[in-house]
Amino acid sequence: MSLDYIAIDFETANIYKNSACSVGLVRFIDGKETDSLYSLIHPAKMYFIPEWTEEIHHISYNDVRDKPYFPEVWDSLVVPFLKKTPDLPFIAHNAEFDMGVIRACFGYYGMSLPDIRYTCTLNLARKVWGEFDCHRLTYLAEQFGINYNAHEALDDARTCGKIYALAAQKLGVQSTAELNEKLGLCEKNLKN
């Protein structure tokens, strides 16, 4: 067993979870980044992208109007990326949001949910760095000198993966199972 996982992050066009407009995935093997994937996504319905969301993630209607829809991104990009190292758990910061996006998009398109195990690095950070006043990804990155572009799906995923590796290092553990066990975190399954 080793510290192998895939960090994932979505940005959405608006308040609807099926409005995914970008995804970033970063593979970590032994706690080190090995490769990554980023794609813009045409939202399920071309909802109006409000100015407030565009200001957060800088993705506009023009950026996504000619991009592939979620099923094509998932089947042609994400699935091949995952097949390189099957059965790795996902991690995400505030994982319920990102897993909610997957559930909403799969549901909207009538796709069968994949069997994905995941852990939330927000919950992990609260346990590992309980002395911090805040556990947002931007705050954690600042504390650890990680330079990144917040609310850009690939950078969010990458930073999340680095935070997870730092937690393992701080606790002196060598695997995802050992880290979760030491913190009393239960790995969840997307289907549950």
Side-chain angles (χ1 to χ4, degrees), residues 4-187:
D4 302 344
Y5 51 92
I6 292 175
I8 187 168
D9 184 78
F10 285 96
E11 296 299 324
T12 55
N14 51 49
I15 61 170
Y16 299 103
K17 288 191 178 175
N18 69 351
S19 72
C21 60
S22 71
V23 63
L25 294 101
V26 182
R27 186 184 339 272
F28 286 80
I29 303 297
D30 292 325
K32 306 277 188 236
E33 179 180 344
T34 59
D35 61 341
S36 63
L37 167 70
Y38 174 79
S39 181
L40 289 171
I41 303 169
H42 189 293
K45 291 182 180 178
M46 189 47 94
Y47 300 112
F48 173 70
I49 298 178
E51 190 175 303
W52 66 269
T53 58
E54 190 176 334
E55 287 176 3
I56 293 170
H57 53 51
H58 308 292
I59 297 172
S60 71
Y61 169 83
N62 286 331
D63 293 327
V64 295
R65 70 179 180 178
D66 296 325
K67 298 304 178 195
Y69 287 87
F70 181 87
E72 184 181 344
V73 170
W74 190 268
D75 292 341
S76 66
L77 298 174
V78 176
V79 169
F81 182 84
L82 299 178
K83 282 184 177 177
K84 292 178 186 175
T85 47
D87 301 322
L88 291 187
F90 278 20
I91 62 161
H93 207 72
N94 190 16
E96 289 309 314
F97 171 80
D98 297 287
M99 297 306 118
V101 171
I102 294 174
R103 284 186 193 100
C105 288
F106 270 76
Y108 182 84
Y109 289 106
M111 301 163 67
S112 296
L113 277 176
D115 188 21
I116 293 174
R117 298 171 293 121
Y118 67 92
T119 300
C120 179
T121 57
L122 176 58
N123 294 337
L124 171 138
R126 288 176 175 149
K127 290 181 177 244
V128 176
W129 296 286
E131 71 278 10
F132 289 175
D133 293 331
C134 175
H135 297 91
R136 286 190 317 261
L137 199 55
T138 50
Y139 180 84
L140 293 170
E142 185 179 297
Q143 298 308 302
F144 299 114
I146 300 170
N147 216 352
Y148 91 109
N149 184 14
H151 300 293
E152 193 279 329
L154 185 59
D155 266 4
D156 280 351
R158 180 174 286 122
T159 302
C160 170
K162 289 177 180 179
I163 296 297
Y164 193 80
L166 286 169
Q169 182 181 2
K170 179 177 179 180
L171 298 177
V173 298
Q174 303 298 316
S175 73
T176 55
E178 191 180 0
L179 180 57
N180 289 341
E181 183 180 336
K182 192 156 194 170
L183 293 174
L185 293 173
C186 294
E187 217 174 50

